[in-house]
Amino acid sequence: MNEESFNLSIRKFLKMVGVNAQREIEQAVARARETGRARGDESFAASATLEIPALGLSVRFDGKIELE
């Protein structure tokens, strides 16, 4: 196994997830504010699940998104 290639692959995957997740969250908050479902001063529970079926990996991460 090439450790450098492996680590680079992980970082690329996490960057892709992070960038796309941020975009989706920003768009969801904008839609919620436009429709009145969000005021702009609340926080929202959030979770993400990382799955790699071939490795038997399924890990859930919980947190919150704060608008203010």
Side-chain angles (χ1 to χ4, degrees):
M1 181 169 89
N2 182 319
E3 289 290 330
E4 186 175 331
S5 177
F6 174 53
N7 288 328
L8 179 60
S9 178
I10 291 171
R11 286 193 303 270
K12 287 170 79 173
F13 173 75
L14 292 174
K15 182 177 181 179
M16 182 266 306
V17 169
V19 168
N20 288 310
Q22 181 173 348
R23 182 180 318 120
E24 292 294 330
I25 292 166
E26 289 170 348
Q27 291 173 354
V29 167
R31 285 190 303 272
R33 294 200 62 208
E34 289 170 2
T35 62
R37 289 181 293 135
R39 297 178 310 275
D41 62 351
E42 57 268 89
S43 63
F44 303 99
S47 67
T49 302
L50 172 63
E51 295 180 345
I52 305 176
L55 298 176
L57 177 67
S58 181
V59 181
R60 181 180 165 131
F61 299 92
D62 295 303
K64 67 179 176 178
I65 305 295
E66 299 177 349
L67 302 186
E68 198 167 275

